[in-house]
C-alpha cells in the first residue's frame, strides 16, 4: 500500500496528479470511460512506486504518503483507493460506494471548501 488520495479530491478532481505520475497508477484518467461518473481519483497501491511526485502537484493537498500518515477521518478512503480498478465495473462501483458512505458520514468536512479540507483533517 502506498500513497492515498483523500476527500479534498472530491469536488476538485482536476487530474493534476495523473499528469505527473510516472507509472500511470492514478485512475480514472480523463480519457477513461469511468472519469465522468467517479467522485474522486484513486491510486492503485500495488502499482504506486512511492515517488512522491503527485503530492506537490495536487492543488488541495489530497494525497498522503502512506496509510499510516492518512488522518483518522480519511482511513475509510484507503480501502476505496485499493478497491478501485479501471475497467472493472463492480470494483469501480464498490470504491464509489465507500466514497459515498464517506461523504454521508462526514458532513462536517464536506461543508468545508475542498481547498480548506486537508487543514480540517487534523482538527
Ligand atoms: S507517489 Fe508517484 S507513483 Fe505513486 S501515485 Fe504518486 S506520482 Fe504515482
Ligand atoms: S491532483 Fe489532487 S485534486 Fe487533483 S485529481 Fe489528483 S488527488 Fe484529486
Amino acid at each position: 500500500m502506498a500513497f492515498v488520495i483523500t476527500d479534498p479530491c472530491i469536488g476538485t478532481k482536476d487530474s493534476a496528479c495523473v499528469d505527473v505520475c510516472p507509472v500511470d497508477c492514478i485512475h480514472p484518467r480523463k480519457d477513461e470511460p469511468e472519469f465522468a461518473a467517479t467522485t474522486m481519483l484513486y491510486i492503485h497501491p500495488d502499482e504506486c512506486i512511492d515517488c512522491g511526485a503527485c503530492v506537490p502537484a495536487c492543488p488541495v493537498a489530497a494525497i498522503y504518503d502512506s496509510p499510516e500518515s492518512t488522518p483518522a477521518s480519511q482511513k475509510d478512503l484507503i480501502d476505496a483507493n485499493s478497491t478501485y480498478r479501471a475497467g472493472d465495473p463492480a470494483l469501480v462501483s464498490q470504491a464509489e460506494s465507500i466514497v459515498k458512505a464517506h461523504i454521508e458520514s462526514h458532513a462536517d468536512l464536506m461543508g468545508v471548501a475542498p481547498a480548506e479540507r486537508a487543514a480540517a483533517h487534523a482538527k
Side-chain angles (χ1 to χ4, degrees), residues 62-123:
I63 306 173
Y64 290 90
D65 66 5
S66 69
E68 293 72 28
S69 67
T70 300
S73 69
Q74 306 297 300
K75 294 281 191 199
D76 50 343
L77 297 178
I78 296 169
D79 281 346
N81 279 259
S82 62
T83 297
Y84 186 90
R85 290 293 181 274
D88 186 325
L91 293 178
V92 170
S93 170
Q94 206 173 313
E96 283 286 302
S97 294
I98 295 170
V99 174
K100 284 183 176 59
H102 177 86
I103 291 170
E104 285 166 13
S105 61
H106 292 85
D108 51 339
L109 286 170
M110 291 303 115
V112 176
E116 311 299 327
R117 223 172 268 153
H121 289 169
K123 291 177 185 165

Side-chain angles (χ1 to χ4, degrees), residues 5 9 12-17 41 57-60 62-63:
I5 296 180
C9 188
T12 310
K13 212 180 99 174
D14 65 347
S15 294
C17 52
L41 268 59
C58 180
V60 291
I63 306 173

Side-chain angles (χ1 to χ4, degrees), residues 1-91:
M1 191 76 205
F3 283 47
V4 179
I5 296 180
T6 63
D7 65 16
C9 188
I10 300 168
T12 310
K13 212 180 99 174
D14 65 347
S15 294
C17 52
V18 172
D19 294 341
V20 300
C21 179
V23 294
D24 189 27
C25 69
I26 307 174
H27 298 276
R29 295 188 316 256
K30 284 180 178 172
D31 63 354
E32 291 175 325
E34 297 94 346
F35 185 80
T38 50
T39 312
M40 55 177 269
L41 268 59
Y42 306 90
I43 293 173
H44 190 311
D46 301 331
E47 294 178 356
C48 174
I49 59 169
D50 294 350
C51 74
C54 53
V55 173
C58 180
V60 291
I63 306 173
Y64 290 90
D65 66 5
S66 69
E68 293 72 28
S69 67
T70 300
S73 69
Q74 306 297 300
K75 294 281 191 199
D76 50 343
L77 297 178
I78 296 169
D79 281 346
N81 279 259
S82 62
T83 297
Y84 186 90
R85 290 293 181 274
D88 186 325
L91 293 178

